[in-house]
Amino acid sequence: MTKTATFHGSDLEEISAFYRISPESILPFADNVNPLGFSPAVRQELAAHLDVVTRYPDRNYTVLKEAIGQYLDVSPSSVAIGNGSTELISLFIRLYARKKALLLSPSYSEYERELSLNGCGKVSYFLRREDDFRLNLPHFLQALDETISLLILCNPNNPTSSAICLDEMEEIIRFCKARNIYVMIDETYVEFAPADNISSVSLTKRYDNLMVIRGVSKFFAAPGLRLGYGVTGSRHFLAHLQKLQNPWSLNSIAAFAGERLFQDTDYIQQTKELIRQERLRCQKALSAIPALKLYPSFANFQLVQILRGPTSPQVFEAAIREGFLIRDCSSFAGLKGEYVRFCYRLPQEDQRLLEFFQRLFA
């Protein structure tokens, strides 16, 4: 049977119903969530303090901002809190999408949705597979003309797992600053990166046309908390945020958990080391399969091009029949050809997926 629907990486219930497979039997290699699960230490503390629901959270989230400030080495006064990163993305777009926005392609589709809701047009800059989906900086800067008021970047990018290094990012932000273009950088996956020169948080101390947005959904395995946060040197945005944002945007449980998640250094280091090891192991194994091409991975997921053999929908279906949910990338605009994406999980789970690829492309 050929797959007749396109699924998001988190559509586990829909996929389960479509293929008549129990959700418990499916390994989610498409959701890009930390395979270690929620921090055990924070879970234990949260369970012992569920009475926080009887109190309103601090309207200014002072302690949470201090924890984030310490985690990122920034002033708490530069931190914004949101109901998921989606709320901050929406508010930033509402404020700065005065003309058109420039987006990389392929990339996360939620940006386009928010631009459309705010009546803002978009221009797509297509990353090229000939460049391993890395940004061609001189060519890219030419696309930032007078029609653009907002630049949106996902770094590392989804689904390509490519990244822009700090030096190149500063050149982009400086270029935009001179042209009154605001820059929003979505760093959802940056904590998984194998290098330290990817995050742009430090640039918020020198540039006020920049907002760096993160969340706890992926790295801290807590999508249900809906805790998003941003860092910016723009007093203009922070002032408008207070006017536009609903009070108590984040609930008391998420605020309590967040204050502790950023201090769990053991969990943070364990996650980084796990992803580092699995990235190297999976790349080595799949690189030995001639029918597949792998692209450099700076996030916790791998983009794979199918050079010959089954199509990406066929690979998706063969995988789900064996209990593996991977991402068929045919729905990503700007990604022509046959591509699939999977995230790194626990070693024994990754080994099963590797053996699946080896059998399928033998």
Side-chain angles (χ1 to χ4, degrees):
M1 183 175 70
T2 302
K3 181 169 74 72
T4 58
T6 299
F7 299 105
H8 184 271
S10 61
D11 292 338
L12 191 59
E13 295 298 330
E14 291 183 36
I15 292 169
S16 171
F18 187 86
Y19 287 100
R20 299 180 182 178
I21 303 172
S22 68
E24 294 77 16
S25 67
I26 300 174
L27 285 174
F29 282 92
D31 61 8
N32 300 339
V33 173
N34 185 340
L36 293 179
F38 192 64
S39 160
V42 178
R43 182 191 297 115
Q44 184 176 0
E45 193 167 359
L46 186 59
H49 293 84
L50 284 179
D51 60 344
V52 296
V53 301
T54 66
R55 303 188 299 270
Y56 282 98
D58 168 22
R59 192 182 184 111
N60 295 314
Y61 300 101
T62 304
V63 177
L64 178 57
K65 289 180 179 179
E66 288 174 351
I68 293 171
Q70 185 175 5
Y71 178 61
L72 298 178
D73 189 26
V74 296
S75 169
S77 64
S78 67
V79 175
I81 302 298
N83 186 253
S85 60
T86 304
E87 183 187 27
L88 295 177
I89 290 170
S90 178
L91 292 172
F92 196 85
I93 286 174
R94 188 191 309 182
L95 192 57
Y96 293 119
R98 299 183 301 271
K99 300 178 184 177
K100 291 182 179 179
L102 181 65
L103 306 175
L104 294 185
S105 186
S107 196
Y108 182 47
S109 61
E110 186 65 24
Y111 312 134
E112 295 188 28
R113 176 180 177 276
E114 291 295 337
L115 289 169
S116 177
L117 289 174
N118 285 276
C120 179
K122 72 173 181 70
V123 176
S124 294
Y125 179 88
F126 292 92
L127 298 171
R128 304 193 321 158
R129 71 181 176 196
E130 294 83 3
D131 299 325
D132 284 345
F133 298 107
R134 279 185 50 84
L135 193 67
N136 182 324
L137 186 57
H139 187 262
F140 173 70
L141 294 179
Q142 295 176 21
L144 291 165
D145 59 28
E146 68 280 355
T147 68
I148 305 298
S149 64
L150 175 63
L151 170 62
I152 300 176
L153 299 170
C154 183
N155 195 45
N157 189 41
N158 179 19
T160 62
S161 207
S162 55
I164 303 169
C165 70
L166 185 60
D167 290 344
E168 289 181 329
M169 191 66 82
E170 182 165 17
E171 187 172 345
I172 292 171
I173 294 166
R174 189 187 307 117
F175 185 92
C176 289
K177 174 69 174 175
R179 289 157 180 79
N180 199 31
I181 299 172
Y182 283 86
V183 183
M184 185 187 79
I185 303 175
D186 181 349
E187 289 193 347
T188 294
Y189 300 103
V190 76
E191 289 138 313
F192 294 111
D196 295 328
N197 66 334
I198 305 300
S199 175
S200 299
V201 166
S202 62
L203 299 179
T204 62
K205 300 176 183 179
R206 302 198 296 276
Y207 298 92
D208 62 359
N209 64 320
L210 168 65
M211 176 78 162
V212 176
I213 293 176
R214 294 188 187 181
V216 301
S217 295
K218 305 300 186 181
F219 187 81
F220 290 99
L225 284 182
R226 307 312 307 142
L227 167 54
Y229 59 100
V231 184
T232 182
S234 172
R235 299 296 132 189
H236 177 255
F237 174 77
L238 291 171
H240 276 75
L241 183 66
Q242 289 184 325
K243 298 178 182 178
L244 296 172
Q245 192 174 36
N246 291 326
W248 302 296
S249 180
L250 187 69
N251 67 65
S252 55
I253 290 180
F256 180 91
E259 292 163 8
R260 288 146 183 84
L261 281 174
F262 299 109
Q263 301 176 51
D264 192 348
T265 55
D266 289 342
Y267 173 89
I268 291 167
Q269 290 306 314
Q270 186 181 1
T271 297
K272 288 178 179 290
E273 182 59 20
L274 171 66
I275 299 303
R276 185 192 69 81
Q277 291 180 356
E278 289 306 287
R279 178 187 292 112
L280 293 173
R281 192 169 72 87
C282 291
Q283 288 181 336
K284 181 179 179 180
L286 293 180
S287 294
I289 302 176
L292 303 179
K293 176 178 174 56
L294 275 65
Y295 292 89
S297 168
F298 287 86
N300 65 324
F301 52 83
Q302 178 68 57
L303 180 68
V304 179
Q305 183 182 6
I306 304 166
L307 301 178
R308 58 182 180 273
T311 64
S312 58
Q314 289 171 337
V315 174
F316 173 93
E317 179 142 329
I320 199 65
R321 295 297 180 190
E322 296 201 24
F324 308 121
L325 173 56
I326 62 175
R327 183 69 188 268
D328 167 14
C329 294
S330 57
S331 62
F332 282 97
L335 201 59
K336 295 181 180 180
E338 303 297 332
Y339 294 87
V340 293
R341 188 202 69 196
F342 69 89
C343 63
Y344 311 117
R345 293 188 54 80
L346 298 176
Q348 63 272 24
E349 296 170 340
D350 287 344
Q351 184 59 36
R352 289 177 56 193
L353 184 66
L354 293 175
E355 291 171 0
F356 161 77
F357 276 110
Q358 290 163 346
R359 290 193 308 272
L360 189 63
F361 292 95

